[in-house]
Amino acid sequence: MTLQEQLAALIRTSLAEAQQGGDLPSFDLPADIVIQRPKPGFGDFATPVAMALAKPARMAPLQIAQRIAGRLPQDGLIGKVEVAPPGFVNIWLSPLWLGKQVARILGEGTTVGNVDIGVGQTAQVEFVSANPTGPLTVGHGRNAVIGDTLARVLEAARYAVTREYYYNDAGRQMQLLGESVRGRYLQLLGRPVEWSEDYYQGEDIVEIAQGLVDECGDSLVDEPANGLFRARAQAIITETQQAALNRLGIHFDILFNENSLTTSGAVWEVVDKLKEKGYAYDADGAVWFKATAFGAEKDRVLVRSNGEPTYRLPDIAYHKDKLDRGFDLIVNVLGSDHAVQYPDIASALKALGYNPGRIHVVIYQFVTLMRDGEVVKMSKRKANYVTLNELVDEVGPDALRYFMLMRSSDSHLEFDLNLAVKQSDENPVFYVQYAHTRIAGVLRQAAERGIEMAPTADLSLLTDPSEMALIREMLRLEEVVALVTRQLAPHHLTYYAHDLATAFHTFYDRCPILPPRQTDPTLTQARLHLAAAAKATLARALDLVGVSAPERM
């Protein structure tokens, strides 16, 4: 239970007691009690609930707030309560209670920040889902980091999470892939080739073709493009894509094959059911989905006149499959160029009798690489893209992951290559990692001087404002995990990690921990415990982002 939830429960209890004691009239208590962070100087938390209750209580908000405040226990969690016009109840946490949280955080260790939102529930996060037609790009990298971070956070919220990659290995683009490899193969053998502008131009295609020449010589000149050429390219590209993701610590539980939806007949079952329900019809030799029945400007083709499904049909079948698997929460991470397509899928699911409300779409914007204030193109390949591997080579996995989350997913991201490799506090990921390293150094120095951290410490000695601020910041991780879980907005984690690092650096500069600057051994122990708790919380925040927490830098 987060601090906000604990305080909301106390507010609800005080309201009920005030009604029972005759201080407030009878009225229905609100389903949700808002607990928010006020401006500095107005407490750790505040609630405007009194203003929402003015009408049903037929009382002035300030009077209601006073009656709520009078019933709140000012011991344990709450240290002080004040009422402020026009009806806010401002709450300060107890310093003694805050000190005790250091021991709790140390006890939680790698699970610090966990919340119970998803207990007993399942979640599926589908992300990246690039077609096996070429290397992953920088854009795919942002998709990957967003999706994997969301999966990590949902696990911290105690969902049972499945990471899934859906790849399109059917249709026109796969046919072009096979033709592209076959064309390069024939060119390498000196055979005449009629090269289409639609073929894939990347150097990777040449490399795959060269591998076939080295292995098979000219024995494949009569092999159809849709046979070995396509199969070999798909296998190599898929392996290359997964290897690039592994460099970022990203793995998948399921690789879902789009072609299986066709071979199993799932796509045709969707067509039949839509026709049965009156939402699909035949016209001009094609099969159409009646999207206009759901507010679209025009109906959509599901099956072309040549009998081939359009991309919408297998996507509908795939999302139907997701819902049939019974996930409580389904998350799709999609680029902004795919945003317009999802409403048709949701409409088709409704037409089939499903509730698409379990599916949540996270849209991300594109990434621009910058160096010296100018847009750069780093790719050494012939294709018109920057590969994910190239960016990892340039800045490393930690900076890549952290920088990809420094803006809201729906905001365009300018990735500053100069900053990402800078070894200074200007670099946000360096700044946060250095805080962790600094704590590790303090703990090593203590051990080298024979100062063992005792099992317990007098945490009531932690009274300096910077100590209290650091503890408050550590406790905020639960709030951030809950926020990211509910909003599916992972950028809040990088903001939090930076704030936590700042809180530690401030504490470190103000409060001596070890001799000779610190002469009180009991205070040394208390501050060692605080530093160790901060280290655990920083490591946890970095782990949720998928970034390492180094012991030395």
Side-chain angles (χ1 to χ4, degrees), residues 486-505:
R486 292 185 173 116
Q487 295 186 358
L488 299 176
H491 66 282
H492 291 294
L493 278 167
T494 56
Y495 296 171
Y496 169 76
H498 195 275
D499 289 345
L500 179 58
T502 298
F504 175 77
H505 289 313

Side-chain angles (χ1 to χ4, degrees), residues 152-445:
R152 289 166 182 258
V153 172
L154 291 173
E155 286 172 336
R158 300 189 64 187
Y159 282 92
V161 177
T162 296
R163 293 165 170 83
E164 189 153 316
Y165 188 116
Y166 171 74
Y167 64 98
N168 183 344
D169 59 345
R172 172 68 173 158
Q173 77 279 358
M174 296 305 296
Q175 180 180 339
L176 287 172
L177 177 64
E179 292 173 358
S180 302
V181 175
R182 184 175 188 274
R184 292 302 189 198
Y185 170 82
L186 293 174
Q187 285 180 342
L188 289 169
L189 291 174
R191 303 296 181 94
V193 175
E194 187 175 335
W195 189 262
S196 170
E197 291 183 358
D198 293 335
Y199 288 171
Y200 292 99
Q201 306 293 325
E203 189 67 25
D204 57 313
I205 301 298
V206 177
E207 293 168 1
I208 294 169
Q210 183 64 61
L212 288 170
V213 170
D214 295 341
E215 180 182 339
C216 305
D218 63 357
S219 65
L220 303 177
V221 293
D222 295 323
E223 176 77 14
N226 209 35
L228 179 61
F229 291 107
R230 168 178 161 175
R232 179 64 62 88
Q234 179 180 329
I236 291 175
I237 291 172
T238 298
E239 182 180 355
T240 301
Q241 290 176 342
Q242 295 304 312
L245 293 169
N246 288 341
R247 295 183 71 187
L248 296 174
I250 295 173
H251 71 277
F252 290 88
D253 302 300
I254 295 175
L255 297 179
F256 194 103
N257 183 319
E258 180 188 329
N259 195 41
S260 67
L261 297 168
T262 302
T263 57
S264 69
V267 294
W268 309 118
E269 290 177 12
V270 166
V271 172
D272 291 342
K273 288 181 181 179
L274 287 173
K275 284 184 174 180
E276 180 185 317
K277 292 177 177 291
Y279 289 108
Y281 61 92
D282 297 319
D284 302 324
V287 180
W288 297 72
F289 170 56
K290 198 179 290 184
T292 50
F294 298 90
E297 293 183 0
K298 58 182 181 180
D299 292 342
R300 312 295 187 188
V301 177
L302 294 177
V303 184
R304 300 183 181 93
S305 57
N306 63 2
E308 290 185 2
T310 63
Y311 61 84
R312 279 185 174 83
L313 180 54
D315 282 355
I316 294 166
Y318 175 52
H319 284 82
K320 174 183 175 297
D321 180 86
K322 289 186 182 187
L323 292 168
D324 285 339
R325 281 186 268 165
F327 295 109
D328 297 293
L329 173 65
I330 297 170
V331 179
N332 290 356
V333 183
L334 300 174
S336 56
D337 54 333
H338 290 88
V340 69
Q341 301 165 8
Y342 181 73
D344 291 335
I345 296 170
S347 297
L349 292 171
K350 287 181 184 177
L352 292 168
Y354 288 85
N355 174 18
R358 277 188 282 156
I359 302 174
H360 300 262
V361 176
V362 177
I363 300 296
Y364 70 93
Q365 296 295 330
F366 295 107
V367 181
T368 299
L369 298 176
M370 308 292 293
R371 182 181 281 118
D372 301 327
E374 297 183 357
V375 176
V376 298
K377 177 170 169 47
M378 294 177 1
S379 184
K380 301 178 182 66
R381 313 182 76 89
K382 293 180 181 179
N384 186 30
Y385 49 70
V386 178
T387 70
L388 181 58
N389 268 327
E390 287 171 332
L391 187 56
V392 175
D393 290 340
E394 178 88 0
V395 304
D398 283 347
L400 189 153
R401 288 195 65 129
Y402 197 96
F403 274 55
M404 288 294 188
L405 296 176
M406 290 201 308
R407 295 289 181 272
S408 172
S409 302
D410 58 5
S411 298
H412 180 81
L413 176 66
E414 290 190 349
F415 195 112
D416 188 333
L417 295 166
N418 300 92
L419 184 60
V421 298
K422 188 171 287 189
Q423 300 289 301
S424 76
D425 287 354
E426 295 176 67
N427 181 345
V429 68
F430 180 91
Y431 179 77
V432 176
Q433 288 180 316
Y434 178 62
H436 186 272
T437 304
R438 204 174 200 184
I439 303 171
V442 169
L443 298 177
R444 280 197 306 272
Q445 289 176 35

Side-chain angles (χ1 to χ4, degrees), residues 3-25:
L3 273 174
Q4 287 92 327
E5 290 169 336
Q6 293 178 57
L7 291 170
L10 289 174
I11 296 290
R12 180 179 295 279
T13 299
S14 70
L15 281 167
E17 290 178 353
Q19 287 179 325
Q20 293 170 5
D23 292 337
L24 290 174

